[in-house]
Amino acid sequence: GAQPVPPPIEDTSMKLVNDAAHPWMPLLPGQQRGPCPGLNTLASHGWLPRSGVATPAQIVTAVQNGLNMEYRRALEVTYAAFLVNGNPLTNLLSIGGLSRLTGSAPPTPALASGLSTHGTFEGDASMTRSDAALGDNHSFNETLFQQIVDISNKVGGGKYNASAAAEVRFQRFQDSVMRNPGFFFSTPRFDTAFIETVFPIVFFVDGRSTDASLDLHVMRDFFQNSRMPPDFHRRGTPSSGSGPEEDMVMNAHDYVPGFNNGSGTCVFLPPPASSSHLVAVNSFVADPNFMGTQTDVLCSLYEKFVNTTRELYPSPQGDLRVALNKNLDNFFIPVSSRCAQIFPFP
Ligand code: HEM
Ligand code: MG
């Protein structure tokens, strides 16, 4: 069954987090890792269960303790993910793929299949993971990482900074427009894709550094090996990740939320040079419904995850319904000052 949200952590100061109690350990068979280098790294250092299967409360506490993510952002992201990819009956979520450790699943169409599940939280145009339609959406991809290296060398002076993030985001967007016929880049993905590129600068740079740029070897270790540098200190103030860097990445190029619709007309890019392209690629159009019924971006994201939960659980009964409602209440807590609560299972 569901649990209440954990309290915020008390000590949010800078501190050593790759410490004796949290050594990196290599992956054992059956342990889950997935599309998120933040959670993968926390699991490989034992801030989360090394199995990669955890309760939402464990995740909320671990992202604060291990990387100093702000409490409200931790609640928002974790309960969104838990509602669409977690198992409400056992209160467990896999940070990777489907795992026996999450217990027996609720009836379909519920997924309860972990963060690697495409299309509910995980989405297209990721930094180091392929689009699901084009390959593996959860494993580190060396080709994509080399593109980050190249861009960082060109515009970041050899490091990954906000300027590099802006160009990485645009390159990944363009690549998906041109190669993924089913490319989807509207809510929730439109909201997560920009901040995701800033997270490495905010959370993977050592707290003792005043430099808002990330060494590429350190970046690789987090993204590929789920590993913190020796002596790694978390940042000295909690952060949501939002701020001037995210705005910079969003405003560096023209974006609208939307998707490839197969029409063959694209609002951004010239027609494909080669006729070997599938007809459905390069057909990006704006999504007229990306805000749902909301006017505030945060509330539209909230509404989207609630509506997805409703689709995954058409008529939940008994303990399942109680657990879903508790987790929906938990998900509402971080947005309660801005949004109206939605009750899909009254
Ligand atoms: C993706 C960092 C917390 C779920 C990512 C990516 C980064 C990142 C950098 C992009 C990876 C890539 O595109 O190659 C972090 C950090 C966190 C954090 C530093 C905490 C401080 C969380 C939490 C959840 C989560 C709490 C949910 C419980 C995801 C998912 C993706 C992702 C599902 C895949 C999205 C996609 O690219 O398709 N994260 N994350 N993350 N993260 Fe996290
Ligand atoms: Mg992805």
Side-chain angles (χ1 to χ4, degrees), residues 36-37 39 69 77-78 121-123 126-128 189 196 199:
C36 176
L39 298 178
M69 180 179 265
V77 180
T78 302
F121 191 129
E122 188 285 318
S126 300
M127 302 171 68
T128 66
R189 187 59 188 145
E196 194 174 278
F199 275 8

Side-chain angles (χ1 to χ4, degrees), residues 25 88 96 188:
M25 279 158 65

